[in-house]
Amino acid sequence: MTATCASLPSASVDLPRNCTFEPADWQILARSWYPVALSRDLGDSPMGVTLLDAPLVVYRADGDIVIADDLCPHRGVPLSMGNGNGKTIACAYHGFRFGQDGRCVRVPAHPDSKIPPKLHLRTYPVVERFGLIWTCLRPTGETNLPPMPHWDDPTFQQITCPWIDIKGFAGRQVEGFIDVAHFAFVHTETFADPENPIVPSYSPKLTETGFEAEYRSNVSNFPHGLLGVEEFADFEWLRHFRVFLPFTATLEIHFPNDGRLVIMNAASPVSARVTRMFAPICRNFDTTGSVEDVYEFNRRVFEEDRQIVEAQKPENLPLDPNLEAHVMADRSSIAYRRGLRGMGLSHFFTA
């Protein structure tokens, strides 16, 4: 067992309470951008979310979105317990109001007094993209959001699916998403063929942000039971994975008749033991079809994956290549783990 942030007081300065990551790992991961909420879910009321063990409050203020520590600087009550009006939010304890840039704009007990600077909130940068609200806890000056092919193409339909919570580590979840050998065993209820487990050879290619891998096979991506797809039984499917370290990947699937489906797997680490997975999707076929059907199929696929991730041991993602066995089909997994090691991350022990 290795020490966590909570058990190393000298190393835990400026880290979240009860941090589940090793201090050095937390500092590295906090430099990346992650989604924390769906844009459509944020109304006038403040929303509480957690990223890398840090409790955050998200709220709207006169057209802007503000993300700040979910703690009133007056007496330490979570601001997500309060209320909002689209311009400000109010603390549930004493009614202190906070607006744009996290500034305290009203102290009801002393409405005519000057507001001390200490009452202003610590805020974080915000970007809305792919129907998601993104932030970074330790920004380095660059907004490095992962790209998503075809999202801005007007011939594609853009869909942002509901998020899914997984009681597992984000690295394990992403590794499952890019794994090409599990279809025939995990996704047999949704799209895969249990009689077709063969994985043809493929080779990941390194990029500045991670790696890419193209995988060709005759494993169909049509949902089971879909009518009229028998004629494509011999179609060669191309799946193009793009991985953006540490925890985001996209999969572009080439369908028959020049169809394209792109899925983003954005794994937001709530903690080292819990992941909130966001999945924007875009497609250039069936663009007037039911969005609810897309939500449901996507949920079923990721629920199949969730059961596996939550059962894996160890819960962390072992980055030492000698700690788990590997086969040729694991080339993407090996490239992913190598990339995380290259970021300077450790073993990802979670307890």
Side-chain angles (χ1 to χ4, degrees):
M1 179 182 293
T2 59
T4 64
C5 303
S7 61
L8 291 174
S10 63
S12 61
V13 177
D14 207 29
L15 294 173
R17 294 178 178 86
N18 303 313
C19 182
T20 56
F21 295 89
E22 294 187 12
D25 287 346
W26 192 95
Q27 295 287 1
I28 293 171
L29 294 174
R31 300 171 194 160
S32 295
W33 285 76
Y34 307 96
V36 293
L38 276 68
S39 296
R40 65 172 180 264
D41 285 349
L42 183 62
D44 289 343
S45 298
M47 175 189 296
V49 299
T50 303
L51 175 63
L52 293 169
D53 294 303
L56 305 173
V57 62
V58 188
Y59 66 93
R60 295 192 183 274
D62 285 322
D64 292 337
I65 294 178
V66 180
I67 297 181
D69 290 331
D70 191 12
L71 206 65
C72 181
H74 177 230
R75 290 295 181 266
V77 172
L79 291 167
S80 56
M81 292 176 59
N83 60 75
N85 56 17
K87 297 182 179 180
T88 61
I89 58 170
C91 178
Y93 197 4
H94 297 98
F96 288 22
R97 286 203 165 268
F98 302 87
Q100 290 178 308
D101 301 319
R103 298 183 66 82
C104 182
V105 296
R106 180 172 172 77
V107 178
H110 307 289
D112 299 322
S113 298
K114 184 178 179 181
I115 296 175
K118 261 194 170 182
L119 286 180
H120 302 323
L121 305 180
R122 178 178 182 174
T123 62
Y124 302 93
V126 180
V127 173
E128 283 191 89
R129 188 73 170 127
F130 315 126
L132 305 174
I133 300 170
W134 301 70
T135 194
C136 178
L137 297 181
R138 295 294 182 268
T140 59
E142 298 182 32
T143 305
N144 295 321
L145 264 62
M148 183 167 180
H150 309 299
W151 183 264
D152 298 312
D153 189 331
T155 66
F156 279 69
Q157 178 188 30
Q158 291 77 35
I159 303 169
T160 305
C161 296
W163 46 261
I164 297 172
D165 275 350
I166 299 165
K167 294 178 182 177
F169 176 57
R172 283 288 199 189
Q173 193 278 327
V174 173
E175 184 180 64
F177 179 76
I178 63 177
D179 185 284
V180 296
H182 75 290
F183 298 157
F185 307 96
V186 177
H187 296 301
T188 55
E189 296 297 319
T190 49
F191 68 87
D193 179 1
E195 302 301 322
N196 188 2
I198 303 298
V199 175
S201 178
Y202 69 99
S203 297
K205 297 179 180 179
L206 298 182
T207 66
E208 291 184 359
T209 56
F211 68 91
E212 298 184 14
E214 289 191 349
Y215 162 69
R216 297 176 182 270
S217 76
N218 60 356
V219 176
S220 170
N221 222 91
F222 289 127
H224 288 330
L226 187 65
L227 300 177
V229 298
E230 295 79 7
E231 63 179 297
F232 304 112
D234 296 326
F235 180 75
E236 183 182 68
W237 295 77
L238 170 61
R239 292 175 173 88
H240 188 165
F241 293 91
R242 298 174 175 90
V243 175
F244 305 90
L245 300 173
F247 302 136
T248 301
T250 61
L251 168 59
E252 182 172 2
I253 305 169
H254 292 236
F255 276 68
N257 301 322
D258 294 322
R260 296 287 187 278
L261 172 69
V262 183
I263 307 167
M264 173 178 281
N265 184 108
S268 186
V270 174
S271 71
R273 303 182 182 96
V274 178
T275 300
R276 180 156 291 182
M277 200 283 297
F278 295 90
I281 291 175
C282 61
R283 61 183 182 180
N284 66 350
F285 57 90
D286 197 21
T287 55
T288 59
S290 168
V291 172
E292 295 295 332
D293 288 347
V294 176
Y295 290 169
E296 177 59 17
F297 182 72
N298 182 74
R299 184 196 65 79
R300 290 176 58 208
V301 172
F302 279 105
E303 281 293 325
E304 291 171 329
D305 287 322
R306 179 186 62 78
Q307 295 181 48
I308 297 296
V309 173
E310 292 184 351
Q312 285 181 281
K313 298 292 184 295
E315 292 84 349
N316 58 292
L317 182 67
L319 300 187
D320 183 338
N322 296 314
L323 294 179
E324 290 186 330
H326 309 281
V327 297
M328 293 295 287
D330 298 325
R331 287 175 172 175
S332 285
S333 172
I334 294 168
Y336 179 53
R337 296 182 186 203
R338 184 179 294 125
L340 293 177
R341 289 201 307 274
M343 293 179 66
L345 296 168
S346 65
H347 302 296
F348 279 118
F349 284 112
T350 60

